Amino acid sequence: MTISPSITSPERRPFRLVGLLPWLFAAVVVGYAMVVGGYAATVVSFALIYAVFVTGLNLFMGFAAQVSFGQNAFAAIGGYGSAVLTATYGWSPLPAMVFGIAAAVLAAAIVGFPALRLKGHYLAMGTLAIGLITYEITVEWQSVTQGYLGISGIPPFGIGSWEVTSDRGQLVMLSLVVAACAFAAARIRRSRFGRALSAVAGSEEAATALGIDVSRYKLMAFLLSAGFAALAGSLFVHVVGYVSPEVFGLHMVIVTFTMLYVGGIGTVAGPLVGALIVSLLPETFRAFKDYQDLAYGAALILLLIYAPRGLASLFAPRGRS
Amino acid sequence: MADWSYIPQVLVSGLGIGCVYGLIGIGFCVIYNASGIVNFAQGAFVMLGGMITQVLFSRSGVPLPVAALIAIAAVAVLGVAIERVVVRPLWNRKATMFVMILATLAAQIVIERLTLIAVGDQPKTLPVFTDRPPLMFGSVAVGYQLIWIVGGSLAIVGLLAAFFGLTRTGKAMRACSINREAAALQGIPVSRMLALAFALSAALGAIAGILITPTQYTAFNVGVPFAISGFIAAIVGGFGRPFGAFLGGLLLGLLQALAIVGFGAGLKNVAALSVLLLFLFIRPSGILGAAK
């Protein structure tokens, strides 16, 4: 990685005000959407769902400095798991979501075990292949996924008779989920597990020499990351009420990488900030709908070249340079 | 179940597409050998080769061979442009391999979208180069386009072998692939070799795209599947071995053709990707063993 994370545990710093800025920004954006409601609430809801996904991506890529182009596969499993079980088999959303996430983590364990032995471009391509295979399956397995048509009529998220149907209600629910995810990420980073991942990111050989079971920690980070992705996929289908293969296609890979790099890879606040900025910016240029992917791609290239540590790193100089 | 009497016919067409995968795979290897970079924008070259030729031929009325030559040259220039604008700045900043992959993938998306805006999303095709009924060998029909593809690919592989084996520049590029520092110490302009590798690789991609377009179609989004097949070819052959990649391409083309007979056309990409995973998991160094 371009960042070489410090191997020692991140110390608590007395000066924390600047570190709060990204959270403040997120709170303002979510608060604004909550007040205005309607379309703004929808856009911010999507951003929060992406934030869950990117938080997971960040665990694997930012904390552990591994590469996966295939996390969209697990979002697809989580999303389709929820969609099929609720819309086709009439399950209620919560067990469907849990089942979807469990299936995604299981799939991640099955493919992760051999895939994570790979390094460099082999790993990149292997994971990309996993994402593409999943996409093809969602297109071709029509008896279950209804192919390109997609599945509609997915119920909104709820527990028992309590359902989240209003825009604002969804926003509150998603904000809570994102806050929980960010909290989990922050805790993980400070934990023994997080420090082990930092060590793996710094040097696998050195980590091994320190007695860290590198392949086990990499697999654990991969499973966690897949769990986050599946959660995001499941949240998406319940919020939108519809799913099609395109939702979890290559577009998702590019968008989420842009979010990760805009926000700042390896930081705790980065995924949320990145997801909000990347989701909101195109909305201010809505006249240029055709140019969106073009803009994402170009922005990503510029960021990689000129600001590989992203925007959150400007707010939170955690002494990692 | 499939009718197995098709098999020879299917294998023949698999051979054609396999040659194209092979050329794309060689493109990956040429850049990888010169720089250690895996260029995921390779698919854009393939797409643009067919697309530029098509636009020149049917909109501007340029004769097909001239249009093809212009397209190859234009795509080669684009290859150098990508090297200058995207790869070189990252290279100078010592970006990691992963950042490089992501940046070239982003470049692929940018080119795709620009093409979409420029020519629209309708699939386009080219006429076959020689418009005659196919030759019959027993019950197997061999179209002239297939002969063009196989013949053209073999000619290019031959030319490449001569280039790498006989010319000064080709030998310099091989020196870079063995050890860049040592090559630089011998006075080989390593960075110019990188630009040249991109030009060569882009031209190979464009040729592959032009050869295959008459038998299929081209659209703004055909690049990524071709790039992935080319990459699989390179892995199967042993990454970094250009001629291994061609062999890998042939093998992949044949396997994919059989998969279409066995499981239907919808799953041909799944079959190809499964071959990739199988190789990655069991024998990542490929049939011939990776170059490094």
Side-chain angles (χ1 to χ4, degrees):
Chain A
M1 288 284 90
T2 41
I3 331 146
S4 64
S6 51
I7 309 288
T8 54
S9 74
E11 295 156 29
R12 286 192 173 275
R13 285 169 189 280
F15 180 65
R16 303 265 302 156
L17 211 58
V18 186
L20 285 177
L21 272 178
W23 302 111
L24 201 65
F25 165 76
V28 168
V29 172
V30 175
Y32 171 79
M34 201 88 76
V35 174
V36 178
Y39 184 68
T42 309
V43 172
V44 173
S45 293
F46 284 152
L48 292 176
I49 294 170
Y50 270 121
V52 173
F53 183 94
V54 181
T55 302
L57 195 62
N58 191 34
L59 277 177
F60 189 61
M61 295 190 41
F63 292 5
Q66 300 301 307
V67 180
S68 175
F69 284 90
Q71 296 307 96
N72 55 333
F74 308 118
I77 295 173
Y80 270 97
S82 269
V84 172
L85 289 176
T86 55
T88 315
Y89 294 99
W91 287 31
S92 58
L94 189 64
M97 176 185 268
V98 171
F99 187 87
I101 294 173
V105 172
L106 183 69
I110 293 168
V111 298
F113 192 67
L116 294 182
R117 290 184 315 166
L118 301 170
K119 281 202 169 71
H121 53 265
Y122 293 105
L123 177 58
M125 202 62 205
T127 50
L128 184 63
I130 291 163
L132 291 169
I133 288 178
T134 311
Y135 173 81
E136 297 275 344
I137 290 173
T138 56
V139 173
E140 296 294 331
W141 195 10
Q142 293 189 355
S143 58
V144 172
T145 65
Q146 303 178 23
Y148 284 117
L149 276 179
I151 300 171
S152 51
I154 302 161
F157 191 73
I159 296 167
S161 61
W162 174 75
E163 278 194 343
V164 188
T165 45
S166 72
D167 289 345
R168 292 192 174 85
Q170 284 180 342
L171 210 51
V172 172
M173 173 192 77
L174 292 172
S175 301
L176 291 175
V177 173
V178 169
C181 290
F183 181 71
R187 287 302 299 261
I188 287 171
R189 198 168 143 193
R190 284 180 206 290
S191 69
R192 189 184 169 79
F193 175 55
R195 293 198 299 275
L197 292 186
S198 291
V200 172
S203 159
E204 289 188 16
E205 286 79 10
T208 311
L210 288 170
I212 293 168
D213 188 345
V214 172
S215 53
R216 194 173 130 243
Y217 277 104
K218 278 203 278 192
L219 185 62
M220 278 167 69
F222 188 62
L223 297 187
L224 257 176
S225 174
F228 275 88
L231 173 62
S234 175
L235 286 171
F236 179 91
V237 302
H238 287 302
V239 166
V240 178
Y242 169 76
V243 65
S244 70
E246 299 299 326
V247 172
F248 306 114
L250 199 58
H251 170 84
M252 185 179 200
V253 177
I254 290 292
V255 171
T256 51
F257 276 115
T258 313
M259 289 171 173
L260 186 58
Y261 272 90
V262 166
I265 186 168
T267 62
V268 172
L272 176 57
V273 174
L276 285 172
I277 293 177
V278 172
S279 305
L280 294 181
L281 276 188
E283 294 304 325
T284 50
F285 304 103
R286 293 205 48 199
F288 307 100
K289 207 78 178 163
D290 284 352
Y291 295 78
Q292 266 189 23
D293 277 358
L294 181 64
Y296 285 135
L300 186 54
I301 293 174
L302 289 175
L303 269 171
L304 288 172
I305 297 175
Y306 296 108
R309 296 179 57 198
L311 297 177
S313 62
L314 303 178
F315 293 120
R318 286 180 162 269
R320 316 174 87 215
S321 55
Chain B
M1 208 53 220
D3 179 359
W4 297 105
S5 64
Y6 281 140
I7 294 291
Q9 181 71 59
V10 165
L11 289 182
V12 164
S13 53
L15 208 62
I17 188 93
C19 284
V20 170
Y21 293 160
L23 288 183
I24 302 167
I26 296 176
F28 273 106
C29 295
V30 166
I31 290 181
Y32 180 76
N33 282 347
S35 63
I37 293 168
V38 181
N39 171 37
F40 276 49
Q42 203 67 26
F45 302 146
V46 182
M47 181 270 291
L48 280 178
M51 191 60 86
I52 295 176
T53 310
Q54 200 278 338
V55 168
L56 286 175
F57 176 73
S58 33
R59 288 203 193 164
S60 315
V62 180
L64 191 55
V66 182
L69 285 178
I70 296 176
I72 295 168
V75 174
V77 171
L78 177 81
V80 176
I82 288 184
E83 194 269 337
R84 289 285 146 179
V85 177
V86 179
V87 172
R88 181 62 57 94
L90 286 169
W91 174 275
N92 289 342
R93 286 172 174 75
K94 303 200 170 15
T96 55
M97 174 280 319
F98 157 68
V99 168
M100 204 67 96
I101 289 177
L102 190 54
T104 51
L105 193 61
Q108 159 85 34
I109 303 280
V110 168
I111 294 170
E112 242 177 43
R113 291 291 140 174
L114 285 174
T115 311
L116 171 65
I117 291 164
V119 301
D121 61 355
Q122 289 304 310
K124 298 166 177 35
T125 190
L126 284 169
V128 291
F129 299 167
T130 309
D131 192 11
R132 290 217 203 135
L135 299 172
M136 298 298 292
F137 296 93
S139 64
V140 179
V142 177
Y144 273 91
Q145 191 61 32
L146 186 78
I147 296 172
W148 271 104
I149 293 174
V150 176
S153 304
L154 288 177
I156 285 163
V157 170
L159 283 174
L160 277 176
F163 171 73
F164 282 119
L166 303 175
T167 68
R168 230 176 127 75
T169 320
K171 285 177 185 166
M173 285 180 80
R174 266 171 52 212
C176 288
S177 76
I178 295 165
N179 186 326
R180 276 189 291 284
E181 284 76 21
L185 289 173
Q186 301 286 322
I188 293 170
V190 173
S191 75
R192 203 182 303 159
M193 290 299 139
L194 180 57
L196 189 65
F198 267 85
L200 188 59
S201 171
L204 279 171
I207 293 169
I210 295 166
L211 286 173
I212 196 70
T213 300
T215 68
Q216 304 189 343
Y217 65 92
T218 186
F220 75 99
N221 58 1
V222 298
V224 172
F226 273 124
I228 289 167
S229 302
F231 185 90
I232 299 172
I235 291 272
V236 170
F239 212 76
R241 291 177 177 272
F243 305 109
F246 193 72
L247 204 66
L250 290 179
L251 208 64
L252 181 66
L254 294 176
L255 274 173
Q256 215 176 33
L258 288 176
I260 292 175
V261 180
F263 311 111
L267 290 176
K268 69 171 187 174
N269 290 332
V270 174
L273 291 163
S274 306
V275 169
L276 171 68
L277 287 182
L278 212 64
F279 264 90
L280 284 177
F281 293 165
I282 294 165
R283 191 171 164 76
S285 56
I287 297 173
L288 300 182
K292 285 182 191 174

